[in-house]
Amino acid sequence: MANVSVSVIIPCKNIMHQIGNIIIEIAEELKDTEAEFIVIDMNSSDESVIRALEVIKKQDLRGCVIQSGGGSISSALNTGIYKSDGKYITLVHPGRRYKNYIPAYLDTADETGAEFIIAKPSGDSAVSLSENVRRKTGASIKPNAAEVMSDLIYSRIYFDFYALVLKREFVLRHHIKFYEECNYGYVEAFIYNLLLHSPQIAFSDITLERLPESAGAGKETASENINCYERIDAMLKVYETMKLQRRENLRLVEMFECQKLPSVIMSVANMLRKQGFSTAAIKKSLKVKGYSTYLKVSSLTSPELKKKIFQFKLLPWAFQ
């Protein structure tokens, strides 16, 4: 068997009219690359499996379709990673795709030896990462993981979690997995767990172009009734891991405890408020579940977040 450069992992559920085009389009982008396609079917009730197999065979592609049953998308992605053979892996969400980024990412990986490759992040107040990193030039930038986590915690940067390339050996060596019981926040938690193992990071010097969403694509790849509290649970698990693995960096741990966790809780509270729940009901629910104890602030909490927490706790009529 020839060496596989990249494994393209595609979770799939009831997208028989899209899965063929998705595979064909990515295969065309990777025509000069030794690639494999791993479609993880999540108990489709239509002919998604047959369509995927037909396209892989007709296009003479390396690949397979694995049926993972009715489990979560996190479980499907874990299955794809551990069944893959590529030196690198990329995850493709059928409803959130980008045009022709994989070849550029692989070029960056070859040039830098990086284990975690993304496009240059965007941001509001911080266009890239920390000031010392932003001043660097070149086709790729290699910041350290702590810088990236810090800027993610404060939302100073943004990058799409479904537009990345990872070195498969790094993921397997550190036993990094998606939380299988989680349908909301699972990719965000996976990224933080990756960064906690200090991968070599490189930014590919490309501008991502989002592809139009096909009708029906990706709509059933997650539970229809998403439990928004699952994102809090996922971040709490990351926090526990961080306390063990980053004991030498107490500042980073405090950032996560007093900025990331309360910001996620406030985000969930905002979501529930928009769904019509009263602030009093939300506060009661958070208290019953034990989440309210994580609404902590410190000198590392941003002023904007402090204000939101203050309003939520003491001025419920002002919380929007």
Side-chain angles (χ1 to χ4, degrees):
M1 179 181 293
N3 292 330
V4 178
S5 179
V6 62
S7 297
V8 180
I9 300 169
I10 310 172
C12 163
K13 184 174 182 180
N14 294 335
I15 54 170
M16 61 176 290
H17 298 297
Q18 294 82 36
I19 187 63
N21 288 335
I22 291 172
I23 295 172
I24 291 170
E25 288 171 7
I26 298 174
E28 178 62 24
E29 294 174 354
L30 295 173
K31 60 184 178 182
D32 298 321
T33 302
E34 192 65 41
E36 69 171 356
F37 292 82
I38 300 180
V39 178
I40 310 296
D41 183 72
M42 300 163 58
N43 204 26
S44 292
S45 58
D46 63 7
E47 296 184 355
S48 295
V49 171
I50 296 173
R51 177 58 179 155
L53 287 170
E54 286 177 347
V55 170
I56 289 172
K57 182 177 180 180
K58 288 181 180 179
Q59 298 292 319
D60 195 25
L61 302 173
R62 184 192 303 275
C64 62
V65 178
I66 301 172
Q67 292 181 290
S68 67
S72 65
I73 188 171
S74 301
S75 176
L77 291 171
N78 284 335
T79 299
I81 291 172
Y82 285 89
K83 292 291 185 179
S84 62
D85 290 315
K87 182 178 180 181
Y88 295 96
I89 56 177
T90 190
L91 313 174
V92 175
H93 192 296
R96 191 175 184 86
R97 295 174 52 224
Y98 292 89
K99 182 178 180 180
N100 203 29
Y101 70 92
I102 304 174
Y105 280 25
L106 294 177
D107 288 343
T108 299
D110 289 340
E111 293 169 5
T112 63
E115 295 153 328
F116 180 14
I117 303 95
I118 57 175
K120 287 183 180 179
S122 59
D124 295 328
S125 60
V127 176
S128 184
L129 285 175
S130 332
E131 188 63 32
N132 63 323
V133 176
R134 290 199 301 274
R135 288 172 179 168
K136 297 180 182 179
T137 58
S140 61
I141 305 172
K142 296 172 67 174
N144 64 54
E147 287 179 319
V148 175
M149 279 192 287
S150 174
D151 284 324
L152 283 174
I153 287 170
Y154 286 99
S155 300
R156 290 194 292 253
I157 63 168
Y158 170 81
F159 59 85
D160 196 297
F161 296 148
Y162 264 103
L164 52 81
V165 162
L166 305 171
K167 195 168 187 178
R168 176 175 169 272
E169 187 272 336
F170 180 86
V171 176
L172 297 181
R173 172 161 40 95
H174 293 290
H175 308 287
I176 303 166
K177 295 183 177 181
F178 292 91
Y179 296 142
E180 297 201 353
E181 68 282 4
C182 182
N183 284 299
Y184 187 43
Y186 58 95
V187 185
E188 182 182 22
F190 181 81
I191 295 299
Y192 274 108
N193 283 326
L194 272 169
L195 293 171
L196 285 174
H197 289 89
S198 301
Q200 295 184 48
I201 304 168
F203 295 165
S204 182
D205 192 21
I206 67 168
T207 300
L208 289 174
E209 180 182 347
R210 178 85 179 268
L211 291 170
E213 183 174 339
S214 300
K219 288 187 179 179
E220 295 185 18
T221 56
S223 171
E224 291 182 4
N225 298 313
I226 291 175
N227 179 3
C228 57
Y229 287 126
E230 289 182 359
R231 186 183 176 209
I232 301 176
D233 291 332
M235 291 299 104
L236 286 174
K237 289 183 178 181
V238 172
Y239 175 56
E240 293 302 318
T241 302
M242 179 178 285
K243 287 193 293 184
L244 292 174
Q245 295 192 4
R246 293 291 173 137
R247 286 175 291 185
E248 83 292 347
N249 193 339
L250 295 179
R251 182 178 175 84
L252 183 65
V253 174
E254 185 180 345
M255 286 179 192
F256 202 90
E257 179 182 24
C258 297
Q259 176 67 31
K260 182 62 181 180
L261 287 179
S263 71
V264 170
I265 294 170
M266 285 292 90
S267 176
V268 169
N270 281 327
M271 184 183 301
L272 293 173
R273 192 74 183 87
K274 291 177 181 178
Q275 292 176 0
F277 292 92
S278 69
T279 302
I282 296 168
K283 289 175 70 174
K284 182 178 180 180
S285 177
L286 292 175
K287 184 176 181 179
V288 168
K289 293 178 177 294
Y291 298 140
S292 57
T293 60
Y294 295 98
L295 287 175
K296 301 177 182 178
V297 298
S298 75
S299 60
L300 297 180
T301 308
S302 69
E304 295 80 8
L305 182 56
K306 285 181 180 179
K307 180 180 178 181
K308 287 182 181 179
I309 294 173
F310 176 79
Q311 290 178 334
F312 182 71
K313 287 183 173 181
L314 302 176
L315 303 171
W317 61 89
F319 178 72
Q320 298 293 333

